[in-house]
Amino acid sequence: LEQTYDVVVIGGGGAGLSAAVEAQSSGAKVVLLEKMSSLGGNTLVSGGGLNVPGTKQQKALGIEDSVELFIEDTMNGGDNINKKELVTVIAKNALPTTEWLVNEINVEFMPDRLQQFGGHSVPRALISKNNHGTELIRKLKAYGDKLGVEFKMETRAEELIMDNNRVVGVKAKNAAGQEIIFNANKGVIIATGGFGANKEMRVKYDPDKDDKYKTTDVSGTTGDGIIMAEKLGADLMHMEYIQTYPTCNPKTGIISYVANSRFDGAVLLNQEGKRFVEEMDRRDVISKAILEQTNNEAYLIWGQEIEEVGNMTKVHEDEYKVFEKMDLIYKADTLEELAKHFEVDKDNLLASIEKYNRFVENGKDEDFNRRGKLRTIEKGPFYIQKVAPAIHHTMGGIVINEDAKVLDNKGKVIEGLFAAGEVTGGIHGTNRLGGNAVTDVIVFGRIAGQKVVE
Ligand code: ADP
């Protein structure tokens, strides 16, 4: 079996969909291959938040931000080993890309909600409708359908085809196990996501990231694109940087969005009822700190002052119910009851919260110098939620240039080959900041889709 298109996109998450839509918009004939039976990848299960400096939401709230500050935060968050020219591409394109998402793709963002994720110096994350990646994926898919992008589900790309030093197609297998050759007249875009769900591959690059970790990632993120590109001589970088998300379901590894009440002010305590880390610190720092606590777990505590900001238990009601059923979250009128429920040291818990409330009143967290808006925990009912870290994002991957073209280990472009999204390396350095994946994925997905047809 053999089929011919202008562009073959591998992977139907945020990057692949953005690339496919852009390429098809310019008149090219595009096919998108997705190995799973549904689209979306890790983008689908994300909170659908993306960092954008200079939005109308920021202006309405009087928040001063700039492309430069966004670059600086991102570089600091990645220990300054990020490829700055790529970070700059994301920062500069964030706003026009958002306008494209809103005006062309019809994506809805919460009109008056901005989140400040860890490591960012100001609130700059727009949050998709329902605080979920489904909004992005559904709208991109609908737009792709309208344009006539062909979607081949349960079709796994297995090998890139080279001819005369140029990538000219993809060998794939469909659900029936038949091999299909997809010829690409103009080029191939790899958008297969990271390798968080592939334990062997994780351990190969970082022996610590073994079975002791569960993962937030969907099962399709097994590094296929990285392996295929490496076979052709593509350069890889930063493969050893594998991020854990600090506040996941300790039993399943699934990311908790209710726990993002942390960004509105919830505090983290250990089994002994003591704070142990700055709640707004980087994901790697908080994850490591949690793993050093009793049972390798921690508790988030908050009350109505914080709940009322983002209403996380309501916005994510389905998740809340799951946590409740698994006895991982508990709501009560008093802090004493919270402590008792999970056998957290009651006196310490009360003392920690009382001390914290004093810090809030004085406007400064004397113990951990917490960033972001400080809010008291005085008004019940209160919540306590048990959380633990899980594998979340692989920073390393295929080396690309500013045009999303794949480079070999001499820095030379591999003709006909593009990559975008989590499959690429170098953009986030040692540690990706919250809300930067979606910005990266959509910005570079679009660039790949534009450049492939040039
Ligand atoms: P990104 O955020 O970079 O777009 P995602 O994780 O959202 O990454 O999406 C990656 C998608 O690629 C997933 O839907 C995954 O199932 C798909 N995928 C991974 N490997 C292959 C492959 N070999 N062939 C086709 N699709 C793949």
Side-chain angles (χ1 to χ4, degrees):
L1 282 167
E2 200 167 325
Q3 302 180 8
T4 300
Y5 293 86
D6 294 322
V7 178
V8 179
V9 177
I10 313 174
L17 283 166
S18 303
V21 159
E22 275 294 11
Q24 183 89 23
S25 305
S26 71
K29 198 170 158 224
V30 180
V31 66
L32 184 149
L33 316 181
E34 168 56 56
K35 71 174 173 180
M36 308 304 280
S37 55
S38 55
L39 294 170
N42 278 340
T43 310
L44 182 75
V45 297
S46 79
L50 82 160
N51 293 312
V52 188
T55 56
K56 62 173 193 278
Q57 285 88 339
Q58 280 187 330
K59 291 195 181 106
L61 292 167
I63 295 162
E64 283 206 33
D65 198 5
S66 66
V67 166
E68 291 69 35
L69 188 60
F70 182 23
I71 295 172
E72 196 183 310
D73 286 346
T74 301
M75 294 296 299
N76 284 336
D79 288 316
N80 287 295
I81 65 162
N82 325 44
K83 285 180 83 174
K84 193 168 182 183
E85 68 274 21
L86 300 184
V87 175
T88 305
V89 170
I90 291 175
K92 282 192 176 154
N93 283 286
L95 190 57
T97 292
T98 301
E99 283 158 2
W100 176 79
L101 283 174
V102 171
N103 300 329
E104 292 287 320
I105 311 300
N106 224 355
V107 170
E108 290 175 60
F109 293 103
M110 294 187 181
D112 42 21
R113 170 99 165 129
L114 279 179
Q115 271 186 311
Q116 179 176 2
F117 292 117
H120 292 278
S121 43
V122 293
R124 59 163 70 98
L126 295 177
I127 305 298
S128 300
K129 187 175 148 186
N130 299 325
N131 196 178
H132 205 277
T134 41
E135 172 69 5
L136 291 163
I137 296 298
R138 259 195 342 189
K139 298 278 170 77
L140 283 164
K141 167 70 164 56
Y143 197 79
D145 281 337
K146 202 173 84 187
L147 293 175
V149 173
E150 283 191 44
F151 294 95
K152 306 277 186 199
M153 305 306 299
E154 293 184 76
T155 304
R156 174 195 303 264
E158 294 192 328
E159 206 182 310
L160 300 167
I161 306 167
M162 278 282 242
D163 184 35
N164 251 325
N165 288 321
R166 189 184 165 84
V167 175
V168 293
V170 177
K171 228 183 246 176
K173 265 215 184 91
N174 67 14
Q178 287 171 307
E179 189 178 280
I180 311 175
I181 306 249
F182 292 94
N183 296 312
N185 290 334
K186 291 187 185 287
V188 172
I189 299 172
I190 305 176
T192 50
F195 58 98
N198 183 341
K199 191 204 72 182
E200 281 72 33
M201 193 162 168
R202 280 177 358 221
V203 172
K204 173 176 169 191
Y205 292 104
D206 177 1
D208 172 61
K209 298 298 186 294
D210 60 13
D211 278 337
K212 71 173 165 290
Y213 290 96
K214 296 188 170 61
T215 177
T216 66
D217 292 359
V218 296
S219 59
T221 54
T222 47
D224 302 11
I226 297 176
I227 296 165
M228 284 187 273
E230 192 183 21
K231 278 201 188 122
L232 293 193
D235 198 12
L236 307 181
M237 72 187 288
H238 293 171
M239 292 297 288
E240 64 277 35
Y241 300 118
I242 298 174
Q243 178 175 77
T244 53
Y245 194 84
T247 55
C248 303
N249 182 320
K251 291 182 183 162
T252 63
I254 294 173
I255 193 167
S256 169
Y257 292 109
V258 173
N260 282 355
S261 51
R262 176 165 61 98
F263 303 116
D264 296 325
V267 298
L268 275 169
L269 299 183
N270 60 18
Q271 195 69 44
E272 291 72 33
K274 298 202 163 146
R275 284 178 80 210
F276 56 91
V277 72
E278 192 226 331
E279 290 83 353
M280 292 296 284
D281 212 325
R282 293 163 31 158
R283 293 171 173 182
D284 54 347
V285 175
I286 299 177
S287 297
K288 189 160 170 280
I290 292 176
L291 290 178
E292 283 162 3
Q293 309 306 311
T294 304
N295 301 328
N296 315 113
E297 290 171 342
Y299 297 94
L300 269 168
I301 314 258
W302 71 101
Q304 293 310 305
E305 301 93 324
I306 291 157
E307 178 61 21
E308 280 161 12
V309 180
N311 298 302
M312 298 313 265
T313 69
K314 299 285 175 319
V315 173
H316 301 288
E317 197 177 356
D318 292 350
E319 183 202 301
Y320 181 82
K321 285 188 180 142
V322 171
F323 266 76
E324 210 170 30
K325 208 159 162 205
M326 294 178 124
D327 194 27
L328 293 168
I329 200 161
Y330 188 68
K331 181 181 178 179
D333 288 329
T334 66
L335 291 168
E336 284 85 346
E337 285 168 89
L338 296 190
K340 189 162 158 252
H341 187 79
F342 286 123
E343 294 172 6
V344 176
D345 187 298
K346 187 184 81 193
D347 294 337
N348 286 345
L349 181 144
L350 292 176
S352 298
I353 300 296
E354 201 200 296
K355 189 176 181 201
Y356 184 76
N357 287 335
R358 262 200 333 265
F359 290 157
V360 177
E361 274 146 27
N362 298 331
K364 188 169 166 52
D365 168 12
E366 302 278 351
D367 285 342
F368 295 99
N369 208 6
R370 181 178 181 143
R371 286 163 282 192
K373 179 120 179 86
L374 306 181
R375 294 190 174 92
T376 51
I377 303 171
E378 285 172 338
K379 240 172 80 186
F382 302 98
Y383 298 93
I384 184 164
Q385 181 182 7
K386 199 185 265 197
V387 291
I391 302 286
H392 184 54
H393 187 96
T394 48
M395 271 70 68
I398 301 170
V399 177
I400 56 164
N401 67 14
E402 288 147 275
D403 292 339
K405 292 184 175 163
V406 174
L407 305 179
D408 68 13
N409 53 24
K410 294 195 183 70
K412 229 178 100 241
V413 167
I414 299 179
E415 294 299 333
L417 190 60
F418 298 76
E422 194 179 345
V423 75
T424 65
I427 296 176
H428 305 287
T430 59
N431 168 65
R432 175 178 69 76
L433 296 185
N436 274 2
V438 176
T439 309
D440 170 12
V441 155
I442 311 278
V443 165
F444 270 107
R446 287 186 74 200
I447 291 174
Q450 291 160 359
K451 295 293 169 185
V452 70
V453 295
E454 270 180 10

